[in-house]
Amino acid sequence: MTTVTAPVPAASPPVLPSSPRAFADALGLAALRGASLAEVDAAAALQHRTDRKYLLPLDGARALVEALAAGHHVLDLAGRRTTSYHSAYFDTEALAAWRAHVQRRRRRWKVRTRLYAEDGLCRVEVKTKDGRGATVKHARTVPADAYGRLGTGAAGFVDGVLGGAGVPVTAGLLVPAAEIRYVRAALADLEHGSRVTLDGLLTCHRGDRTAALDPGQVLVETKGGARPAPADRLLLRLGARPVSLSKYVVGQALLTPGLPDNDVRRLARAHFVTSTGPADASASGSTERNPAA
């Protein structure tokens, strides 16, 4: 008698999120307690903070969310647990902000307008580093139609912040440099005043070129004091290690020809795909997988 063994079907590849709702579902955000924006801001506004960044596969990010559920709330905006961010960055023609970051200068800075797409809220934001290396963020609300430009009021705000931080750059020297888009979930420890953000569906745009983070990867940021937060210790247990990865710096490194090679680019090549075509339809353009360096 001959025994016939049925072939074992190949495991189906995981379904990767392609929308904000799918990203929230993939992270398991529905299981967390919700918190309002006012509650999160009151406990963990963190305009002066230490940021640590990690790249995690999607299943690792979901495991992190599950492990944090007991002590963290998720920002809930009328039932919506993610927000779509559009960030338009400004730099000098010589990319002084980009070079300051890559060269690890003490006076690093970024200028951007940020649109919270679902809410129609726009802010102009300036980030600098203090003498101890902590991030200091200054922000001012502007009309939604001011996104992507620095009007008179925004320019004065930028000049005041950069001048106060000793950065020898004025708004008059800045031009649109790149746009970054992503979907973010924000978790907050309301008792201890720390936050964790999880960013997915991340794309960087410059001209007709786009660089997209692998949709199976999530960029996790912890935002708190100088000492590692509980989330940092959990991330270490999950096998994650901090990485130096600025969304703007990655976008410029991958999309601007002629820039010097650097550690940021080598890291990004392992996790990003570049393409050429309209910003809203990058999948229709020619695509290049950047092999790990």
Side-chain angles (χ1 to χ4, degrees), residues 46 48-52 193-195 222-227 229:
L46 297 174
H48 189 289
R49 69 205 187 199
T50 297
D51 297 344
R52 298 177 180 87
S194 62
R195 280 197 292 133
T222 63
K223 306 167 190 288
R227 299 179 61 183

Side-chain angles (χ1 to χ4, degrees), residues 2-283:
T2 303
T3 301
V4 178
T5 303
V8 178
S12 300
V15 177
L16 300 178
S18 59
S19 68
R21 182 60 178 269
F23 183 60
D25 291 343
L27 292 178
L29 298 180
L32 272 67
R33 295 166 293 171
S36 68
L37 180 60
E39 289 174 313
V40 171
D41 281 348
L46 297 174
Q47 300 298 82
H48 189 289
R49 69 205 187 199
T50 297
D51 297 344
R52 298 177 180 87
K53 300 180 182 181
Y54 307 81
L55 276 171
L56 280 181
L58 192 59
D59 58 352
R62 185 183 181 99
L64 174 67
V65 170
E66 292 174 352
L68 292 175
H72 287 67
H73 293 65
V74 61
L75 176 62
D76 187 299
L77 301 167
R80 192 185 79 239
R81 297 198 160 189
T82 63
T83 298
S84 300
Y85 284 56
H86 294 180
S87 297
Y89 285 82
F90 300 84
D91 208 336
T92 66
E93 293 282 1
L95 300 181
W98 184 89
R99 296 179 189 280
H101 185 101
V102 170
Q103 296 167 5
R104 301 185 181 276
R105 296 179 191 168
R106 185 168 62 88
R107 287 195 173 94
R108 281 176 271 170
W109 55 277
K110 290 176 188 166
V111 174
R112 68 190 178 207
T113 55
R114 170 167 284 177
L115 180 67
Y116 301 82
E118 292 91 348
D119 306 302
L121 172 67
C122 187
R123 305 198 308 179
V124 55
E125 299 180 346
V126 183
K127 296 173 72 173
T128 60
K129 293 284 188 180
D130 69 8
R132 295 172 297 177
T135 300
V136 184
K137 184 168 77 171
H138 302 262
R140 171 178 291 184
T141 301
V142 295
D145 62 6
Y147 174 72
R149 58 188 176 86
L150 296 176
T152 302
F157 171 71
V158 169
D159 288 346
V161 175
L162 292 181
V167 177
V169 174
T170 63
L173 298 174
L174 301 179
V175 296
E179 184 183 42
I180 313 296
R181 304 176 189 174
Y182 54 95
V183 174
R184 167 168 288 182
L187 279 56
D189 183 335
L190 302 185
E191 181 178 352
H192 297 100
S194 62
R195 280 197 292 133
V196 180
T197 59
L198 300 101
D199 299 339
L201 307 181
L202 192 159
T203 57
C204 312
H205 308 270
R206 180 176 171 88
D208 68 345
R209 289 179 60 78
T210 295
L213 177 66
D214 185 325
Q217 295 284 317
V218 178
L219 178 60
V220 178
E221 298 184 40
T222 63
K223 306 167 190 288
R227 299 179 61 183
D232 293 290
R233 294 190 286 272
L234 280 170
L235 283 157
L236 290 174
R237 288 203 291 271
L238 288 170
R241 295 295 182 269
V243 295
S244 177
L245 198 159
S246 157
K247 300 179 187 72
Y248 169 62
V249 171
V250 164
Q252 289 289 12
L254 292 178
L255 301 179
T256 303
L259 290 179
D261 207 359
N262 53 76
D263 291 340
V264 172
R265 181 181 290 176
R266 286 189 284 274
L267 173 65
R269 281 174 174 164
H271 300 287
F272 282 74
V273 173
T274 59
S275 61
T276 302
D280 288 316
S282 58

